[in-house]
């Protein structure tokens, strides 16, 4: 029996909400998306998991030490500024509370920091040009961290020396995880929705946003051939 058919049969039997294949737990609901994958891609999913990073290795990899230094600097900047109304005071309180919680967590979630320090978001609106360089540093590190936690639209990725881009949601698809690969094909999309952890375990990586595609643009469209 072909591997694809076997996985679909397992899902249809509904024996468990999760399938444990070689220690990798994958929701049964995800098998509904495997029509895009094929045997080769599904084989990638069930490879043995790699070794986990120690806490120190994790912090070094994601530059958490440097990120905390910048967040302390952001806190000091906020505390040094005079109140400029409700929005300023509200953000200052929320930031202080969130930062305090993050410092006490064993595994910190930087999602709110990532949102606040994204361009033209809360930090920019409250602090303005004075905190621009600090915002850039914090956003760069949290954005890199966030894009390695889940599929984020327009993230550039690689797998087995192929490069591609994560597509955004559409009217017909409200789950992020379709990857458009950088090939000459009119349509070359692979479905990894709900399988981000398996994507990483299979050797998938998030690559630098400055990576230049050969055949597609940064929105996953084939480049127009100049004549």
């Amino acid at each position: 029996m072909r591997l694809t058919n076997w996985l679909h049969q397992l899902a249809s039997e509904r024996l468990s909400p999760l399938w444990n294949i070689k220690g990798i737990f994958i929701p049964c609901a995800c098998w509904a998306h495997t029509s895009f994958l094929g045997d080769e891609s599904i084989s990638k999913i069930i490879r043995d998991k790699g070794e986990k990073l120690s806490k120190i290795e994790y912090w070094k990899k994601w530059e958490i030490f440097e990120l905390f230094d910048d967040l302390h600097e952001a806190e000091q900047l906020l505390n040094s500024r005079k109140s400029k109304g409700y929005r300023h005071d509200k953000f200052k309180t929320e930031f202080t509370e969130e930062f305090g919680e993050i410092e006490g967590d064993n595994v910190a979630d930087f999602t709110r920091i990532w949102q606040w320090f994204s361009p033209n978001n809360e930090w920019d609106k409250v602090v303005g040009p004075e905190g621009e360089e600090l915002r850039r540093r914090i956003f760069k590190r949290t954005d890199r961290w966030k894009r390695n936690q889940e599929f984020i639209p327009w993230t550039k990725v690689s797998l087995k020396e192929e490069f591609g881009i994560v597509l955004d949601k559409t009217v017909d698809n409200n789950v992020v995880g379709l990857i458009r690969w950088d090939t000459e094909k009119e349509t070359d999309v692979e479905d990894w929705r709900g399988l981000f952890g398996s994507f990483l375990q299979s050797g998938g990586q998030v690559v630098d946003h400055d990576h230049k595609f050969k055949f597609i643009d940064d929105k996953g469209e084939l480049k127009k051939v100049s004549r």
Side-chain angles (χ1 to χ4, degrees):
M1 180 183 294
R2 289 172 62 83
L3 181 57
T4 309
N5 295 335
W6 176 69
L7 290 173
H8 280 291
Q9 180 179 325
L10 285 177
S12 66
E13 291 173 359
R14 298 180 181 177
L15 297 178
S16 168
L18 294 172
W19 294 112
N20 181 356
I21 303 178
K22 290 192 176 184
I24 302 174
F25 288 89
I26 304 175
C28 286
C30 296
W31 300 135
H33 305 310
T34 55
S35 58
F36 284 85
L37 287 171
D39 288 350
E40 181 180 354
S41 295
I42 295 175
S43 296
K44 298 172 187 175
I45 295 173
I46 61 177
R47 288 182 183 175
D48 290 331
K49 293 182 291 184
E51 295 182 2
K52 293 184 177 180
L53 296 175
S54 69
K55 186 172 182 178
I56 295 298
E57 290 171 333
Y58 179 88
W59 277 50
K60 287 182 177 179
K61 178 178 181 179
W62 302 116
E63 300 180 341
I64 304 298
F65 294 106
E66 294 84 352
L67 176 56
F68 271 109
D69 286 343
D70 282 340
L71 290 174
H72 276 293
E73 186 176 337
E75 185 178 39
Q76 291 171 3
L77 180 56
L78 284 173
N79 289 333
S80 69
R81 294 167 57 87
K82 293 181 180 180
S83 175
K84 292 188 177 181
Y86 173 77
R87 186 168 196 161
H88 176 278
D89 294 344
K90 181 175 181 290
F91 176 65
K92 178 181 174 180
T93 299
E94 290 181 349
F95 177 85
T96 301
E97 291 176 352
E98 181 70 13
F99 187 27
E101 288 184 12
I102 288 174
E103 283 191 300
D105 289 340
N106 284 327
V107 181
D109 183 348
F110 297 101
T111 299
R112 290 191 77 190
I113 302 295
W114 172 70
Q115 293 170 339
W116 284 335
F117 284 81
S118 61
N120 302 316
N121 213 307
E122 206 63 22
W123 176 265
D124 275 347
K125 293 174 182 177
V126 170
V127 179
E130 181 183 0
E132 176 60 17
E133 181 56 36
L134 186 57
R135 185 203 66 76
R136 288 176 184 272
R137 296 200 305 266
I138 292 174
F139 178 71
K140 181 179 180 180
R141 291 190 172 105
T142 54
D143 188 57
R144 178 170 170 259
W145 171 86
K146 182 65 175 178
R147 291 178 187 276
N148 280 272
Q149 307 303 309
E150 60 185 274
F151 286 121
I152 303 294
W154 314 128
T155 299
K156 296 180 179 181
V157 297
S158 68
L159 180 64
K160 280 195 168 183
E161 299 183 356
E162 287 192 70
F163 293 88
I165 193 156
V166 179
L167 300 178
D168 201 356
K169 298 177 183 179
T170 64
V171 175
D172 300 322
N173 167 44
N174 62 357
V175 180
V176 178
L178 295 178
I179 298 175
R180 173 48 160 116
W181 295 109
D182 184 23
T183 66
E184 292 179 280
K185 297 179 182 178
E186 186 71 30
T187 302
D188 193 354
V189 176
E190 198 168 39
D191 192 345
W192 286 90
R193 288 175 292 183
L195 299 173
F196 184 76
S198 298
F199 177 76
L200 296 182
Q201 291 165 2
S202 302
Q205 294 181 332
V206 174
V207 300
D208 194 283
H209 190 67
D210 292 332
H211 173 81
K212 301 297 183 183
F213 293 126
K214 184 176 181 181
F215 300 107
I216 62 174
D217 60 23
D218 286 355
K219 295 298 182 181
E221 300 290 338
L222 277 177
K223 295 178 179 178
K224 294 181 180 179
V225 179
S226 56
R227 298 180 182 275

